[in-house]
Amino acid sequence: MRQLQIEIESIQVSIFCEIVLDVLKKHRSLSINKVLVFAYLIKKERFIPKSVYNGNNTQDIIYKSLSLLSGDYLEFCNSVEFIIKAIHILKTSGDITVENDLLFVMDNMYISNNIFKETTFLEKAIEYSKNMNERQFMKEVTDNV
């Protein structure tokens, strides 16, 4: 049973390593808090066949994206552990750097085909979130979770 748990954790961490790297390759830098939230949303969207929002949405895009967390508190909390482990592995391996709570991807990263791609809607939400301060962003996260 213990071996099965280790295998499950390894798969979860590797999925989030891929997602975090993909997000940072596209957006160059993002705060740890925002990476936690958006990595979870990207993984979650992979299993939702039809999203409520699409790339045409432009108003209140951050609030709409965070509304996707509604009713998912326990699963989000469980995923945070794996996302943090993924960030640690990527930092230890030298793929990303951390400076003042911001994650940066190294310039020599290769482009790969990822299974967990962010939608146009989430891509826009991530870009808009860069203009929101951390306190306000986390307040919105807690309001929606």
Side-chain angles (χ1 to χ4, degrees), residues 45-86:
E45 284 231 330
R46 172 85 159 93
F47 301 106
I48 299 172
K50 185 88 170 162
S51 181
V52 177
Y53 304 113
N54 59 34
N56 295 333
N57 295 97
T58 55
Q59 285 190 289
D60 299 328
I61 196 163
I62 296 171
Y63 305 109
K64 288 177 182 176
S65 66
L66 294 178
S67 73
L68 297 172
L69 289 170
S70 293
D72 223 2
Y73 177 74
L74 290 177
E75 192 61 37
F76 175 68
C77 289
N78 291 336
S79 294
V80 166
E81 172 189 359
F82 300 124
I83 300 168
I84 290 173
K85 286 180 181 182

Side-chain angles (χ1 to χ4, degrees), residues 30-56:
L30 207 56
S31 73
I32 294 172
N33 291 330
K34 292 174 185 172
V35 166
L36 289 174
V37 172
F38 288 117
Y40 174 73
L41 288 175
I42 289 168
K43 182 179 178 242
K44 180 182 172 185
E45 284 231 330
R46 172 85 159 93
F47 301 106
I48 299 172
K50 185 88 170 162
S51 181
V52 177
Y53 304 113
N54 59 34
N56 295 333

Side-chain angles (χ1 to χ4, degrees), residues 20-21 24 86-98 103-106 109:
V20 169
L21 272 178
L24 291 176
I87 291 170
H88 175 72
I89 289 170
L90 293 171
K91 183 185 180 312
T92 303
S93 67
D95 292 330
I96 63 172
T97 58
V98 180
L103 300 175
F104 296 91
V105 68
M106 300 307 290
M109 290 302 301

Side-chain angles (χ1 to χ4, degrees), residues 2-18 43 81-83 85-86 89 116:
R2 177 73 180 135
Q3 182 64 26
L4 183 59
Q5 289 174 331
I6 291 171
E7 290 175 14
I8 291 170
E9 181 175 335
S10 298
I11 292 168
Q12 290 289 329
V13 171
S14 67
I15 287 169
F16 283 117
C17 281
E18 179 183 316
K43 182 179 178 242
E81 172 189 359
F82 300 124
I83 300 168
K85 286 180 181 182
I89 289 170
F116 294 89

